[in-house]
Amino acid sequence: MIKKTDVVIIGAGPVGLFAVFELGLLNINVHLVDNLDKPGGQCAELYPEKPIYDIPARPKITAQELIDDLLKQIDPFKPTFHFNQQVNSIKKIEEGWILETSEKIKIECKCIIIAAGAGSFVPRKLPIEGIESLENKRVLYSIKDKSILQDKDILIAGGGDSALDWTNELAKISNVTLIHRRKEFRAAPDSVSKMIELEKQNKIIFELGQIKEIYKNSKDKLDIKYQNDDTINSIEVDYLLPFFGLKMELGPIANWGLNLNENLISVDTEKFETSIPTIFAIGDINTYPGKLKLILSGFHESALMAQQCFKYCFPDKKNIFKYTTSSKELHKKLGIK
Ligand SMILES: Cc1cc2nc3c(=O)[nH]c(=O)nc-3n(C[C@H](O)[C@H](O)[C@H](O)COP(=O)(O)OP(=O)(O)OC[C@H]3O[C@@H](n4cnc5c(N)ncnc54)[C@H](O)[C@@H]3O)c2cc1C
């Protein structure tokens, strides 16, 4: 079944979220698609605890607080979120566009707003030949349902927050071995202490080394060879979970025929529309003379983009400019009594 909405926003970072607000004030309904499992983009994924000092009228706000407040602000408009997936393809139809996500969800809309920041966060993969055939089956870069790991032999690779957090968490239900190339970890000190304590209690095993080879053996197990100095060791497990952090990729957007400038999308500065009418780009993903990659720039771009979107969504209606302070109609939309 094809879902229908006015606008699809690709990217639920701070700018995509604020765009929901600006579009909502103009009665424009929105679906958002994001690769991540939660809203907030770079703010939530890369620096949630860091204070930001240049959000207008908020002298100091942590990145996660900003996202939480944006979510509160857009709540009256009840946007639909599609997480853990990216928009793979777009197809032009007479009334607008049909988008298809990597989870095979199809959405019909009149306009597309690309608020994809620096691109999709994708996991750094293990550079091992033949690993592709095991990915998402026995080699998992993220865990959507930990129950499949219950009572299994698991090898977790990495030394950052995800590797240590999942080691500590899965130690409760699985037989976990953690492998890292050195004894020092980049994870939060508290997670490292917990892991060391679990190792002392023989609840997990820690190995030093780097994975070199991996294949599925006749017992339906993964046979993994890893190297520590000059020694090659091997381990047999059900699942390998490599957690080597995330990198950013533009992904399928690069193939949609948009004018690109060094992986950024060129837009005008009146409407923030791309070279394809009814497709807009706002936030870190766009470029124009004088562009500043700041959250406040993305907020401004959202407001102007929404004005043009209104014209595409409601070609027969006139948009009368209103202030949120004084418009009763806007108060009603915002649920203000
Ligand atoms: C450490 C750090 C500190 C910073 N400090 C400040 C500061 O003090 N002040 C300031 O103004 N800015 C700061 N920034 C920059 C600010 O975070 C960015 O300008 C802002 O996040 C851009 O928002 P965005 O919504 O455009 O993109 P992003 O936050 O990057 O969000 C984009 C979202 O789109 C998703 N996405 C991308 N491609 C796809 C796809 N194909 N399909 C589905 N989803 C997709 C991504 O998963 C992501 O969630 C900082 C950045 C960093 C890294």
Side-chain angles (χ1 to χ4, degrees), residues 229-262:
D229 291 331
D230 295 334
T231 321
I232 302 276
N233 296 306
S234 68
I235 179 169
E236 212 180 62
V237 291
D238 296 297
Y239 288 94
L240 168 64
L241 313 180
F243 289 123
F244 298 138
L246 300 166
K247 59 178 181 160
M248 295 204 173
E249 272 178 11
L250 191 52
I253 294 170
N255 307 320
W256 294 348
L258 299 162
N259 262 1
L260 293 179
N261 185 347
E262 294 181 2

Side-chain angles (χ1 to χ4, degrees), residues 320-335:
I320 297 159
F321 178 81
K322 298 179 197 89
Y323 286 126
T324 56
T325 35
S326 41
S327 161
K328 290 219 164 53
E329 192 192 326
L330 294 185
H331 288 177
K332 204 169 154 203
K333 281 180 203 164
L334 293 169

Side-chain angles (χ1 to χ4, degrees), residues 1-5 8 31 80 82 97-99 104-109:
M1 199 186 71
I2 298 184
K3 296 174 191 298
K4 265 192 162 187
T5 186
V8 173
H31 281 225
T80 306
H82 305 275
W97 298 92
I98 293 183
L99 290 74
K104 307 277 174 239
I105 292 177
K106 287 189 179 176
I107 314 170
E108 183 185 324
C109 60

Side-chain angles (χ1 to χ4, degrees), residues 10-16 33-36 38 40-43 46-47 50-55 85-87 115-121 248-253 282-285 293-296:
I10 301 175
V15 176
V33 182
D34 202 298
N35 253 3
L36 295 175
K38 57 179 183 301
Q42 294 175 49
C43 292
L46 300 181
Y47 61 108
K50 275 198 175 45
I52 307 176
Y53 299 98
D54 57 353
I55 301 298
Q85 55 204 297
Q86 65 178 12
V87 175
S120 300
F121 291 96
M248 295 204 173
E249 272 178 11
L250 191 52
I253 294 170
I282 52 175
D284 277 14
I285 193 76
K293 284 193 188 185
L294 284 176
I295 294 165
L296 68 86

